[in-house]
Amino acid sequence: MTTFADRAIPYYHTLTAPTNLPPGLGVMNPYQEPAVQAIVSEFYGKFYNDTTPRVFVLGINPGRFGAGVTGISFTTPQNLDRYCGIANSLLDTGPSRRPELSSRFIYQVVDAFGGAGDFYGRFFLTSLFPLALTKDGKNYNFYDDRLTTDALWPAITEAVRTQTGFGYDRRVAVCLGRKNETYLHRLNDQQGFFDRIVTLDHPRYILQYKAKSVATYLDRYITTLHDCLDAQ
């Protein structure tokens, strides 16, 4: 029996950065680090060691203080330890001490859903492009300029195609981010990965611009996630 974890772990352990990025753009590939490879193996072995199809929840591309450090989507070293029960040496490194708004909100969602075991037992958090992008020392999105989008589009297509092979429920996907929705729909129109896509506001947007309404957005997330499961 080949599990979700059996497929996911080798993918991340062998993930390579593209070589065709436009000038001035950086890419972070933590998956070449032994500490991150150990985290990936432990995380997927703990939460995905089965053949249950997951509902995909897709962001844009990782941030440099979340998956750019840990290799786990929307997960800082602190949240990996606190919510997932995975102690890690990354807690002692400088960049890991920086907060990431997206991770903070996502783990409020995970906690409200019932905890990491319940959440990851039904959902797979990932991104259209699996590696963190940087420009001028800041996070950068694959859609922030057309040259980058065009350069990465084949890699994005292949990343989503490969990850659906881990074991996914094609009937619905959750898109994080209103602008991201445009690109996920374009991808889906080309490739037919999902029957239906529902969109939620991006976690960073919520905490950066709608902090007073976090409870409302949290309820919206939980309701949407349960609706996706009920529709199965």
Side-chain angles (χ1 to χ4, degrees):
M1 178 182 68
T2 303
T3 67
F4 192 109
D6 291 333
R7 296 183 176 98
I9 293 168
Y11 168 75
Y12 288 111
H13 282 186
T14 58
L15 195 57
T16 58
T19 58
N20 63 334
L21 292 173
L25 204 61
V27 60
M28 299 173 65
N29 184 5
Y31 300 103
Q32 297 178 337
E33 301 296 329
V36 173
Q37 291 184 352
I39 287 169
V40 166
S41 295
E42 184 174 356
F43 178 84
Y44 285 97
K46 182 174 184 176
F47 296 114
Y48 291 89
N49 193 28
D50 56 61
T51 58
T52 302
R54 264 53 172 201
V55 173
F56 275 40
V57 182
L58 297 116
I60 305 160
N61 47 260
R64 68 195 191 280
F65 300 128
V69 174
T70 65
I72 306 299
S73 293
F74 291 96
T75 304
T76 60
Q78 293 88 343
N79 288 340
L80 186 66
D81 185 18
R82 177 180 178 183
Y83 292 98
C84 302
I86 298 177
N88 60 91
S89 61
L90 300 177
L91 288 165
D92 300 325
T93 62
S96 74
R97 299 180 184 277
R98 297 289 298 274
E100 187 184 68
L101 296 180
S102 295
S103 183
R104 186 189 307 172
F105 182 79
I106 282 294
Y107 276 93
Q108 287 181 265
V109 174
V110 169
D111 197 39
F113 192 81
D118 288 339
F119 180 83
Y120 290 120
R122 305 303 299 273
F123 298 96
F124 175 48
L125 271 178
T126 187
S127 301
L128 291 189
F129 183 66
L131 299 176
L133 300 172
T134 61
K135 188 172 186 179
D136 300 325
K138 299 179 180 179
N139 287 334
Y140 201 73
N141 297 321
F142 75 81
Y143 55 55
D144 283 344
D145 73 86
R146 184 171 179 177
L147 283 177
T148 300
T149 305
D150 290 346
L152 291 179
W153 199 250
I156 288 169
T157 303
E158 187 58 29
V160 176
R161 177 182 292 113
T162 301
Q163 290 177 92
T164 58
F166 298 167
Y168 83 120
D169 190 320
R170 65 164 298 123
R171 286 174 287 185
V172 63
V174 181
C175 177
L176 302 184
R178 300 294 170 180
K179 189 170 182 179
N180 194 37
E181 178 182 30
T182 299
Y183 296 89
L184 181 52
H185 273 289
R186 178 192 299 176
L187 180 68
N188 203 51
D189 288 344
Q190 293 173 355
Q191 304 295 330
F193 290 130
F194 308 103
D195 295 338
R196 183 167 62 97
I197 295 168
V198 296
T199 302
L200 292 164
D201 288 294
H202 196 276
R204 182 175 182 85
Y205 166 82
I206 294 168
L207 287 191
Q208 188 167 359
Y209 299 107
K210 301 291 182 180
K212 293 182 180 179
S213 302
V214 165
T216 298
Y217 282 98
L218 183 59
D219 286 344
R220 190 172 299 165
Y221 262 66
I222 296 300
T223 298
T224 299
L225 294 177
H226 281 295
D227 286 348
C228 289
L229 298 179
D230 291 341
Q232 291 179 342

PDB file of all heavy atoms in Angstrom, residues 154-169:
ATOM      1  N   PRO A 154       5.371  26.574 -16.468  1.00  0.00           N
ATOM      2  CA  PRO A 154       5.559  25.121 -16.615  1.00  0.00           C
ATOM      3  C   PRO A 154       5.869  24.426 -15.289  1.00  0.00           C
ATOM      4  O   PRO A 154       5.380  23.313 -15.038  1.00  0.00           O
ATOM      5  CB  PRO A 154       6.748  25.022 -17.586  1.00  0.00           C
ATOM      6  CG  PRO A 154       6.718  26.303 -18.347  1.00  0.00           C
ATOM      7  CD  PRO A 154       6.275  27.334 -17.355  1.00  0.00           C
ATOM      8  N   ALA A 155       6.659  25.076 -14.436  1.00  0.00           N
ATOM      9  CA  ALA A 155       6.981  24.490 -13.131  1.00  0.00           C
ATOM     10  C   ALA A 155       5.759  24.443 -12.233  1.00  0.00           C
ATOM     11  O   ALA A 155       5.555  23.480 -11.476  1.00  0.00           O
ATOM     12  CB  ALA A 155       8.102  25.286 -12.458  1.00  0.00           C
ATOM     13  N   ILE A 156       4.919  25.468 -12.304  1.00  0.00           N
ATOM     14  CA  ILE A 156       3.675  25.490 -11.531  1.00  0.00           C
ATOM     15  C   ILE A 156       2.769  24.352 -11.981  1.00  0.00           C
ATOM     16  O   ILE A 156       2.208  23.603 -11.162  1.00  0.00           O
ATOM     17  CB  ILE A 156       2.976  26.858 -11.694  1.00  0.00           C
ATOM     18  CG1 ILE A 156       3.750  27.935 -10.933  1.00  0.00           C
ATOM     19  CG2 ILE A 156       1.522  26.794 -11.226  1.00  0.00           C
ATOM     20  CD1 ILE A 156       3.298  29.352 -11.235  1.00  0.00           C
ATOM     21  N   THR A 157       2.623  24.209 -13.268  1.00  0.00           N
ATOM     22  CA  THR A 157       1.778  23.142 -13.817  1.00  0.00           C
ATOM     23  C   THR A 157       2.262  21.776 -13.361  1.00  0.00           C
ATOM     24  O   THR A 157       1.476  20.933 -12.909  1.00  0.00           O
ATOM     25  CB  THR A 157       1.767  23.214 -15.351  1.00  0.00           C
ATOM     26  OG1 THR A 157       1.326  24.510 -15.768  1.00  0.00           O
ATOM     27  CG2 THR A 157       0.851  22.151 -15.940  1.00  0.00           C
ATOM     28  N   GLU A 158       3.553  21.555 -13.459  1.00  0.00           N
ATOM     29  CA  GLU A 158       4.118  20.264 -13.078  1.00  0.00           C
ATOM     30  C   GLU A 158       4.013  20.031 -11.571  1.00  0.00           C
ATOM     31  O   GLU A 158       3.759  18.907 -11.118  1.00  0.00           O
ATOM     32  CB  GLU A 158       5.570  20.171 -13.520  1.00  0.00           C
ATOM     33  CG  GLU A 158       6.190  18.794 -13.304  1.00  0.00           C
ATOM     34  CD  GLU A 158       5.435  17.682 -14.023  1.00  0.00           C
ATOM     35  OE1 GLU A 158       4.810  17.947 -15.070  1.00  0.00           O
ATOM     36  OE2 GLU A 158       5.470  16.542 -13.516  1.00  0.00           O
ATOM     37  N   ALA A 159       4.200  21.093 -10.773  1.00  0.00           N
ATOM     38  CA  ALA A 159       4.108  20.957  -9.319  1.00  0.00           C
ATOM     39  C   ALA A 159       2.710  20.527  -8.894  1.00  0.00           C
ATOM     40  O   ALA A 159       2.547  19.610  -8.075  1.00  0.00           O
ATOM     41  CB  ALA A 159       4.485  22.273  -8.640  1.00  0.00           C
ATOM     42  N   VAL A 160       1.690  21.166  -9.442  1.00  0.00           N
ATOM     43  CA  VAL A 160       0.324  20.799  -9.067  1.00  0.00           C
ATOM     44  C   VAL A 160      -0.012  19.405  -9.589  1.00  0.00           C
ATOM     45  O   VAL A 160      -0.620  18.593  -8.882  1.00  0.00           O
ATOM     46  CB  VAL A 160      -0.684  21.850  -9.574  1.00  0.00           C
ATOM     47  CG1 VAL A 160      -2.121  21.413  -9.267  1.00  0.00           C
ATOM     48  CG2 VAL A 160      -0.398  23.211  -8.935  1.00  0.00           C
ATOM     49  N   ARG A 161       0.396  19.102 -10.808  1.00  0.00           N
ATOM     50  CA  ARG A 161       0.134  17.774 -11.362  1.00  0.00           C
ATOM     51  C   ARG A 161       0.778  16.686 -10.486  1.00  0.00           C
ATOM     52  O   ARG A 161       0.140  15.676 -10.159  1.00  0.00           O
ATOM     53  CB  ARG A 161       0.673  17.664 -12.788  1.00  0.00           C
ATOM     54  CG  ARG A 161       0.481  16.255 -13.379  1.00  0.00           C
ATOM     55  CD  ARG A 161       1.063  16.127 -14.764  1.00  0.00           C
ATOM     56  NE  ARG A 161       0.312  16.930 -15.731  1.00  0.00           N
ATOM     57  CZ  ARG A 161       0.786  17.989 -16.363  1.00  0.00           C
ATOM     58  NH1 ARG A 161       2.024  18.379 -16.134  1.00  0.00           N
ATOM     59  NH2 ARG A 161       0.053  18.660 -17.218  1.00  0.00           N
ATOM     60  N   THR A 162       2.017  16.889 -10.120  1.00  0.00           N
ATOM     61  CA  THR A 162       2.713  15.888  -9.312  1.00  0.00           C
ATOM     62  C   THR A 162       2.063  15.733  -7.944  1.00  0.00           C
ATOM     63  O   THR A 162       1.862  14.612  -7.455  1.00  0.00           O
ATOM     64  CB  THR A 162       4.192  16.273  -9.134  1.00  0.00           C
ATOM     65  OG1 THR A 162       4.802  16.368 -10.424  1.00  0.00           O
ATOM     66  CG2 THR A 162       4.931  15.228  -8.324  1.00  0.00           C
ATOM     67  N   GLN A 163       1.703  16.851  -7.326  1.00  0.00           N
ATOM     68  CA  GLN A 163       1.136  16.784  -5.984  1.00  0.00           C
ATOM     69  C   GLN A 163      -0.264  16.163  -5.966  1.00  0.00           C
ATOM     70  O   GLN A 163      -0.624  15.485  -4.996  1.00  0.00           O
ATOM     71  CB  GLN A 163       1.135  18.179  -5.356  1.00  0.00           C
ATOM     72  CG  GLN A 163       2.542  18.650  -5.025  1.00  0.00           C
ATOM     73  CD  GLN A 163       2.571  20.057  -4.480  1.00  0.00           C
ATOM     74  OE1 GLN A 163       2.516  20.258  -3.271  1.00  0.00           O
ATOM     75  NE2 GLN A 163       2.649  21.032  -5.371  1.00  0.00           N
ATOM     76  N   THR A 164      -1.034  16.373  -7.009  1.00  0.00           N
ATOM     77  CA  THR A 164      -2.333  15.695  -7.041  1.00  0.00           C
ATOM     78  C   THR A 164      -2.143  14.186  -7.059  1.00  0.00           C
ATOM     79  O   THR A 164      -3.006  13.435  -6.587  1.00  0.00           O
ATOM     80  CB  THR A 164      -3.176  16.134  -8.255  1.00  0.00           C
ATOM     81  OG1 THR A 164      -2.452  15.869  -9.468  1.00  0.00           O
ATOM     82  CG2 THR A 164      -3.552  17.602  -8.172  1.00  0.00           C
ATOM     83  N   GLY A 165      -0.999  13.747  -7.550  1.00  0.00           N
ATOM     84  CA  GLY A 165      -0.698  12.329  -7.559  1.00  0.00           C
ATOM     85  C   GLY A 165      -0.418  11.745  -6.187  1.00  0.00           C
ATOM     86  O   GLY A 165      -0.372  10.520  -6.021  1.00  0.00           O
ATOM     87  N   PHE A 166      -0.250  12.610  -5.178  1.00  0.00           N
ATOM     88  CA  PHE A 166      -0.070  12.105  -3.812  1.00  0.00           C
ATOM     89  C   PHE A 166      -1.338  11.410  -3.321  1.00  0.00           C
ATOM     90  O   PHE A 166      -1.282  10.508  -2.499  1.00  0.00           O
ATOM     91  CB  PHE A 166       0.258  13.242  -2.842  1.00  0.00           C
ATOM     92  CG  PHE A 166       1.528  13.983  -3.128  1.00  0.00           C
ATOM     93  CD1 PHE A 166       1.783  15.193  -2.488  1.00  0.00           C
ATOM     94  CD2 PHE A 166       2.483  13.502  -4.021  1.00  0.00           C
ATOM     95  CE1 PHE A 166       2.954  15.897  -2.725  1.00  0.00           C
ATOM     96  CE2 PHE A 166       3.658  14.205  -4.270  1.00  0.00           C
ATOM     97  CZ  PHE A 166       3.880  15.409  -3.619  1.00  0.00           C
ATOM     98  N   GLY A 167      -2.490  11.914  -3.811  1.00  0.00           N
ATOM     99  CA  GLY A 167      -3.783  11.404  -3.375  1.00  0.00           C
ATOM    100  C   GLY A 167      -4.716  12.552  -3.069  1.00  0.00           C
ATOM    101  O   GLY A 167      -4.679  13.104  -1.966  1.00  0.00           O
ATOM    102  N   TYR A 168      -5.542  12.951  -4.049  1.00  0.00           N
ATOM    103  CA  TYR A 168      -6.376  14.139  -3.853  1.00  0.00           C
ATOM    104  C   TYR A 168      -7.817  13.873  -4.218  1.00  0.00           C
ATOM    105  O   TYR A 168      -8.133  12.963  -4.980  1.00  0.00           O
ATOM    106  CB  TYR A 168      -5.829  15.315  -4.660  1.00  0.00           C
ATOM    107  CG  TYR A 168      -6.225  15.387  -6.126  1.00  0.00           C
ATOM    108  CD1 TYR A 168      -6.917  16.490  -6.615  1.00  0.00           C
ATOM    109  CD2 TYR A 168      -5.882  14.378  -7.028  1.00  0.00           C
ATOM    110  CE1 TYR A 168      -7.250  16.588  -7.955  1.00  0.00           C
ATOM    111  CE2 TYR A 168      -6.204  14.469  -8.367  1.00  0.00           C
ATOM    112  CZ  TYR A 168      -6.901  15.575  -8.830  1.00  0.00           C
ATOM    113  OH  TYR A 168      -7.237  15.663 -10.157  1.00  0.00           O
ATOM    114  N   ASP A 169      -8.683  14.684  -3.648  1.00  0.00           N
ATOM    115  CA  ASP A 169     -10.090  14.668  -4.009  1.00  0.00           C
ATOM    116  C   ASP A 169     -10.302  15.748  -5.061  1.00  0.00           C
ATOM    117  O   ASP A 169     -10.219  16.945  -4.754  1.00  0.00           O
ATOM    118  CB  ASP A 169     -10.964  14.936  -2.777  1.00  0.00           C
ATOM    119  CG  ASP A 169     -12.434  14.687  -3.047  1.00  0.00           C
ATOM    120  OD1 ASP A 169     -12.907  15.038  -4.149  1.00  0.00           O
ATOM    121  OD2 ASP A 169     -13.127  14.146  -2.175  1.00  0.00           O
TER     122      ASP A 169
END
